[in-house]
């Protein structure tokens, strides 16, 4: 099974960029990387996803290394409302492999 | 914006009782999943479907769980003889791989 690992927690000052890493060293060539976040144990909220190329949307940027063994989610200007648990997910054909999640605390 | 809906949002049940949780996935999605998350712990895989067939099951699935698609659209997750440690949020998700994965808001189950 593919495995994803994330640091358990990170802090970020409000207004600064938050860079959340994820290792997925056993990912296969056709498996996408997704990022979701969860606030107060609600359902996961979509942020961004990608396969090989870097991606950017209105919420965040996703940087995927050339060998695809790791990725970084970038929240360019973190706000207090970005405080949440962030999950890196690898989508295989049989299941979604969740990372253990990174608890991001944005402070004033 | 399409959404995956789950019912009930909360349920309290007595230990040993059977519980049925429901999920309505996005209609044209082929991949479907059930997960659970005990409060403060990691997300735990239960079962996945591809094109209405079970694709993979977790080790705990056959002991206590079953899934049906009674009307070809909705999914039901049945938990037989609930235990205290089954208290968790159960959430479903659907997708067509490569596109956005849509998660439901979850069903909170409390076993007392």
């Amino acid at each position: 099974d593919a495995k994803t690992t994330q640091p358990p927690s990170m802090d970020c000052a409000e207004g600064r960029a938050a860079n959340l890493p994820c290792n997925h060293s056993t990912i296969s060539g056709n498996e996408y990387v997704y990022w979701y976040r969860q606030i107060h144990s609600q359902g996961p909220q979509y942020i961004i996803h990608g396969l090989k190329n870097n991606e950017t949307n209105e919420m965040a940027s996703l940087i995927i290394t050339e060998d695809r063994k790791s990725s970084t989610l970038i929240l360019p200007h973190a706000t207090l409302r970005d405080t949440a648990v962030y999950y890196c997910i690898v989508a295989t054909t049989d299941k979604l492999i969740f990372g253990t999640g990174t608890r991001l605390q944005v402070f004033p | 914006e399409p959404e995956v809906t789950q019912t009930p949002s909360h349920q309290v049940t007595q230990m040993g009782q059977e519980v049925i949780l429901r999920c309505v996935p996005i209609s044209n999605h082929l991949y479907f999943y059930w997960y659970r998350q005990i409060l403060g712990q990691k997300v735990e895989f239960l079962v996945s479907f591809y094109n209405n067939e079970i694709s993979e099951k977790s080790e705990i699935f056959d002991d206590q769980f079953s899934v049906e698609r009674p009307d070809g659209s909705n999914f039901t997750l049945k938990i037989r003889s609930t235990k205290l440690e089954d208290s968790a949020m159960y959430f479903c998700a659907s997708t067509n791989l490569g596109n956005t994965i849509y998660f439901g808001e979850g069903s909170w189950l409390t076993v007392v």
Side-chain angles (χ1 to χ4, degrees):
Chain A
D1 264 356
K3 187 175 179 182
T4 62
T5 56
Q6 302 176 250
S9 63
M10 292 183 68
D11 291 338
C12 180
E14 190 177 18
R16 305 299 290 265
N19 298 291
L20 290 83
C22 179
N23 285 326
H24 32 77
S25 57
T26 56
I27 194 170
S28 295
N30 61 347
E31 294 170 351
Y32 281 76
V33 178
Y34 290 81
W35 282 84
Y36 281 75
R37 70 184 183 185
Q38 194 175 31
I39 299 173
H40 298 311
S41 297
Q42 297 173 5
Q45 176 190 17
Y46 173 76
I47 301 173
I48 199 166
H49 75 283
L51 183 63
K52 297 179 183 177
N53 299 321
N54 298 336
E55 302 287 343
T56 296
N57 63 21
E58 65 277 6
M59 287 183 70
S61 294
L62 173 60
I63 309 298
I64 302 175
T65 57
E66 194 169 339
D67 62 9
R68 302 210 327 120
K69 292 185 177 182
S70 65
S71 60
T72 300
L73 175 73
I74 301 173
L75 306 178
H77 305 287
T79 71
L80 298 178
R81 285 183 293 182
D82 292 323
T83 293
V85 178
Y86 288 76
Y87 289 99
C88 169
I89 301 170
V90 170
T92 74
T93 53
D94 294 325
K95 66 171 86 168
L96 308 174
I97 309 295
F98 277 76
T100 48
T102 296
R103 183 173 297 278
L104 176 68
Q105 180 69 54
V106 181
F107 58 91
Chain B
E1 174 77 4
E3 62 177 12
V4 172
T5 57
Q6 290 187 244
T7 55
S9 57
H10 295 84
Q11 183 163 350
V12 179
T13 190
Q14 288 198 325
M15 190 169 53
Q17 295 295 304
E18 177 183 280
V19 166
I20 295 177
L21 307 176
R22 294 177 174 82
C23 177
V24 181
I26 308 298
S27 59
N28 64 342
H29 284 177
L30 298 177
Y31 294 84
F32 180 79
Y33 314 88
W34 280 101
Y35 285 80
R36 75 176 180 183
Q37 186 177 31
I38 296 169
L39 190 64
Q41 297 189 21
K42 66 178 183 180
V43 177
E44 182 179 21
F45 169 72
L46 293 177
V47 66
S48 62
F49 279 78
Y50 170 68
N51 206 21
N52 290 327
E53 301 276 336
I54 288 180
S55 181
E56 187 161 331
K57 299 180 285 188
S58 68
E59 291 180 359
I60 66 169
F61 183 82
D62 284 333
D63 292 343
Q64 265 192 284
F65 298 88
S66 61
V67 181
E68 291 182 356
R69 199 169 195 186
D71 58 5
S73 58
N74 303 337
F75 280 90
T76 60
L77 177 72
K78 183 184 293 185
I79 311 173
R80 300 184 290 270
S81 189
T82 50
K83 307 175 207 173
L84 295 176
E85 54 265 38
D86 293 326
S87 294
M89 182 175 78
Y90 290 78
F91 56 89
C92 60
S94 72
T95 189
N96 286 328
L97 282 186
N99 297 318
T100 302
I101 304 166
Y102 290 87
F103 287 89
E105 284 299 314
S107 293
W108 272 109
L109 175 65
T110 302
V111 182
V112 297

